[in-house]
Amino acid sequence: MHPLGDAMQHLQLLARMGKHLGADLVEAFEAGKISPEDWAEMITSCRGCDAPEHCRAWLDSQERAEGEVQTDLPPSYCCNAARLLKLRDGDTS
């Protein structure tokens, strides 16, 4: 197991992924859809990922693809994929 990545960098990646997928994490937090513990767990999970450079590159490519074919699904290696999709789809269970 590798050491956890930088918290701020992974917070930014998580926020970017949420935004790309249509899951507004700040709004979800403020609305009580995710707790402080949920938020911390998502960031810690992201920090444990061994592919942050792939995530960053994937997000960059999606942002450059404005008006072109983009995907509304996260990459398969995203540790928070299921949670982000549930938030986007309004499922808070």
Side-chain angles (χ1 to χ4, degrees):
M1 180 175 184
H2 63 87
L4 294 177
D6 179 77
M8 286 307 296
Q9 289 180 16
H10 285 273
L11 173 61
Q12 291 171 348
L13 286 174
L14 181 60
R16 284 179 68 195
M17 185 65 73
K19 181 179 177 182
H20 175 74
L21 297 174
D24 186 329
L25 296 171
V26 173
E27 179 183 295
F29 180 75
E30 289 173 350
K33 295 176 183 176
I34 56 175
S35 68
E37 293 81 11
D38 294 331
W39 187 279
E41 190 175 299
M42 291 174 76
I43 294 168
T44 301
S45 179
C46 186
R47 290 179 66 201
C49 176
D50 60 358
E53 65 284 346
H54 295 294
C55 182
R56 190 172 291 106
W58 185 87
L59 286 163
D60 289 346
S61 72
Q62 292 296 301
E63 290 166 2
R64 282 192 305 269
E66 275 186 47
E68 298 176 26
V69 176
Q70 294 180 334
T71 181
D72 62 350
L73 296 175
S76 61
Y77 51 80
C78 180
C79 304
N80 287 299
R83 283 183 160 173
L84 291 170
L85 293 174
K86 285 175 105 176
L87 282 171
R88 178 190 70 192
D89 297 339
D91 181 0
T92 58
S93 60

